[in-house]
Amino acid sequence: MQMSGAQMVCEAIIAEGVKTVFGYPGGAIMHVYDEIYKQNGFEHILNRHEQAAVHAADGYARATGKVGVAMVTSGPGFTNAVTGLATAYMDSIPMVVISGQVPLSLIGTDGFQEIDAVGISRPCTKHNFLVRSLEELPRILKEAFYIARSGRPGPVLVDVPKDITVEIGEFSYPDSVNIPSYKPTYKGNKRQIEKAVEAIKKAKKPLLYIGGGVVLSNAYKLVRQLAETTQIPAVETLMARGVMGAKNPLLLGMLGMHGNYASNMAMSETDLVISLGARFDDRVTGKLSEFAKYADIIHVDIDPANIAKLVDVDYPIVGDITQVLEQMLPLLDDVNTERYHAWREILKRYDELHPQSYVDSDEVIKPQWAIERIGELIGEDAIITSDVGQHQMWAAQHYPFDRPRQWINSGGLGTMGFGFPAAIGAKRAFPEKTVINVTGDGSILMNMQELVTAAEYKTPVINMILNNHFLGMVRQWQTFFYEKRYSETDLSFQPNWKALAEACGGIGYDVTTKEEFDAAIKDAIEQDKVCFMNVAVNRFENVLPMVPAGGALFNMMLPQKTETHGEEK
Amino acid sequence: MSGNINERRVISVVVMNESSVLARVTALFAGRGYNIESLTVAPIPESDMSHITIATKGNAKVMEQITKQLHKLIPVYKVIEHEEMVEKEMVLIKFPIAENLSDIQALCKAYNGGIVNVGKEMVIAQVADEPKRIKHFIEAAHRYNPCEIVRGGVVAIER
């Protein structure tokens, strides 16, 4: 069928089953937007900043497991999108970003709104394309979606020169792709799996180390089955919260810099780490030479480059977690679960000794209380997104996540400003669910223009601002490591949050007591409008436990040992 | 593989012959802080692929990462870390015509080369040999006051 390049872009999006596209038009992509105007195969959400559009597509992808799509124009439109691409890249999120480019004849002339998009995005995309002719456009679009979602997922950029979007040519969308150089390994090596199973059966203190790859692979049921069959205790990374389910007795909690005592001690004392889709991030391992020092390591990952990148691995298994576990589980039927009983008891004792706790207050709202409270009030029905900072860690520590994809945050890149647009993306995907963006007074300002987007599209996201009038996490480090020199972290000057939300078509709540908190949540859900819930929390609360950067996991700063409650100054 | 941090290695990368593929490969080295000592690239005859030969330095762990990261690039078809290989490098070298040309000729011959061009004031010699021997050749050639030396980078093939 004959059609323009712009039409081809729209047809490909429809053919890939994408229902929502996020974006922002501009000169170089106008022809595509003209086609968007004419079609009704997908909805387009006009974000108010390209970065937000990409984060929204990212939130959509994380919530659904499908490829998120964002569209931006050339030059500044593209450079604004870079943070979004990098965020998705670091967390392996399937996404296709389509950017307009100046016409082919102008490329390389420093034309108006020209930028080398493929050059800039090379280190922060899984792959990228500059389309050089109309003939290759359908193939490239097909490959972009395929590369984004297959193997270790990731964002793919397709940069389309403006003249190609106007040109008319034959459109035939390929049914399949053939990239001879790209063949991800899904099935695990049988022999390696057998060896790993033997190691599990011999171990005395094995530990499941669950990472975000389990979420990406949709393998959570199999992971739960593995834990259930073997009765091996488990720890989750920040990106894996929800995999085991908060109530699962085998789950010790999150590990790493802000992991709990039992999790970090488990990792320090285990004799066999069973790593599933985790990448041994420095925020998890702490001091590498002390990390799982007494353990052999089974490392399952779809990306061979992740295996043995930081630690020596005894049983490397390259493959998709789902397929590897399907191969592995039948071999573990006869495992003696009693074997690990003593180990579980030790860990139980650790948890009793230093549970994940905080000292609540009647005078001031504690941020941890706020998180727990939304867990009690909404629990498993909610999708929680977060920005980056203390609030993110409190949410990860204290929210009772019951399922994967319920918790959406920027783990690898740590992007402030991610939470709100990601929440919009998640809410478009699941309009029936309550979507709460847990944020801070620092983070929310980084994409607050999305209030307008959310109001226009009636996308009622609750932004719960845990407001401590600080750039909290940096302030916490300044407290511990810079003798309380609070250099440029004091955010005492604040906007009128309520008025700000209202000015953009939403609702605002100022919350200072627990009663007001409950009332605000209830009202926000009833009103069904985007809102800012400005919650005044204890100013000097710290995220604990904490492993100082580069320290060993077992050297934790615990709540009891610090003077963090109440005002300090 | 030895743990020597500065051990020299030669890697062949077979890539799909598409635009900016070389940039992807070199950007990977730059972005991850790996060193490139020499790099040659040319299309593989009768195929839609190119052969890149990279000489680099690093310990076993770094090399493993380089190989794995190269594999991750979508257009990379094959990565060969050479253990047993034939390695050659070419060098072009320009001498003043006033130097002793028969000595130069004899020297070049010893290193698998010869004089390839004679001009009014300059003579150009070419040598193709193992990189280590090329180094020795250049040292020896300094006696004849070379005014320009251009090294070509390593090409390698598995034995």
Side-chain angles (χ1 to χ4, degrees), chain A residues 31 118 151 154 168 181 196 225 229 290 383 387 394 413 451 476 505 508:
Chain A
H31 292 302
V118 291
I168 308 280
S181 56
Q225 199 187 326
T229 312
E290 297 294 333
I383 292 176
D387 270 303
W394 284 316
L413 196 68
L451 269 169
Q476 174 168 336

Side-chain angles (χ1 to χ4, degrees), chain A residues 140-177:
Chain A
I140 285 179
L141 289 165
K142 181 75 188 179
E143 286 183 4
F145 278 92
Y146 174 74
I147 291 170
R149 70 162 80 88
S150 58
R152 180 181 182 176
V156 177
L157 175 79
V158 182
D159 198 32
V160 194
K162 188 174 182 176
D163 45 352
I164 289 177
T165 62
V166 207
E167 213 180 309
I168 308 280
E170 181 62 28
F171 178 73
S172 155
Y173 199 58
D175 293 328
S176 58
V177 299

